[in-house]
Amino acid sequence: MNPPPADGSAAEINRLHAEVQRCAVQSRDHLTAALVAAWEAGRLLRAEHERVNATMLRGAWSLWVRKNFRGSAKTAKRYMALAGAASDPAVFAGLSLRQVYFRLGIATEPKKRRQHPVSPLPEYVRLATRLVCALRRVRRLARTPAADAYRRDLRLLYEQLQPLFGDVNQRGGHGSNTP
């Protein structure tokens, strides 16, 4: 049986716990605010992109971005992709900007490229992730016409992937050429 903590340490533990909770709420609020600001900037950048393309010569957009946007051209492109991916940033509630970019397949750079080189995810990993999400939706649909349509559409993919995993089913483990 453990002895009860001293009154002073229990008070300090509870004070720190309250601080953790307060900071976590602030952190979520700041993440949401950053996401909404990026989405709104992307919406405005998309509108400006349309205006510039309609009124100026080819290549004017990159000049406009360099002259008028204080971020990089890549950041502008990410903001625009974010705004194009959702009509309301609330669909990404609770996620950081980097998490949203990752889920949407929007390429990002490491915060300090030279110190922490991060290789981008291979295309097949991003596609597999999207497919897994689609399959989860199918499971929720159960035996509906939409689920049957998914199965028909994915049959060709299944047939192409089956030879890669055929020996897994036979031996009950991973094949010899499985990574």
Side-chain angles (χ1 to χ4, degrees):
M1 193 158 128
N2 294 333
D7 288 341
S9 67
E12 179 65 4
I13 290 167
N14 288 318
R15 184 194 69 74
L16 291 170
H17 174 65
E19 178 72 8
V20 167
Q21 290 178 318
R22 185 185 64 75
C23 290
V25 167
Q26 284 181 338
S27 177
R28 278 191 299 275
D29 291 345
H30 286 116
L31 284 175
T32 300
L35 183 62
V36 169
W39 179 86
E40 184 66 29
R43 195 180 63 74
L44 294 171
L45 281 163
R46 288 171 65 91
E48 193 61 26
H49 182 254
E50 286 181 26
R51 186 192 69 76
V52 167
N53 281 348
T55 60
M56 298 181 181
L57 297 174
R58 179 180 165 94
W61 174 244
S62 61
L63 294 171
W64 187 96
V65 169
R66 272 187 267 154
K67 182 179 178 189
N68 296 292
F69 182 60
R70 292 187 184 139
S72 71
K74 288 182 179 181
T75 297
K77 187 175 179 179
R78 284 192 291 268
Y79 288 173
M80 292 168 65
L82 173 65
S87 59
D88 182 1
V91 299
F92 304 118
L95 299 174
S96 73
L97 198 50
R98 282 187 165 290
Q99 289 171 322
V100 171
Y101 287 159
F102 179 75
R103 289 191 179 185
L104 294 175
I106 300 171
T108 59
E109 297 174 4
K111 291 184 180 181
K112 294 183 181 178
R113 177 181 263 184
R114 291 182 208 119
Q115 292 178 356
H116 303 287
V118 177
S119 57
L121 288 174
E123 181 69 14
Y124 73 89
V125 173
R126 285 186 281 150
L127 290 172
T129 301
R130 291 174 66 189
L131 180 59
V132 167
C133 291
L135 293 173
R136 285 185 187 139
R137 287 191 297 271
V138 171
R139 278 191 221 121
R140 282 189 232 119
L141 297 173
R143 289 281 175 198
T144 66
D148 292 336
Y150 267 103
R151 275 189 287 284
R152 280 191 309 274
D153 293 343
L154 294 173
R155 184 72 184 172
L156 179 62
L157 176 63
Y158 171 76
E159 289 169 357
Q160 290 179 2
L161 289 174
Q162 195 172 16
L164 292 173
F165 300 98
D167 59 341
V168 173
N169 293 333
Q170 292 170 359
R171 293 197 324 255
H174 292 292
S176 58
N177 53 358
T178 303

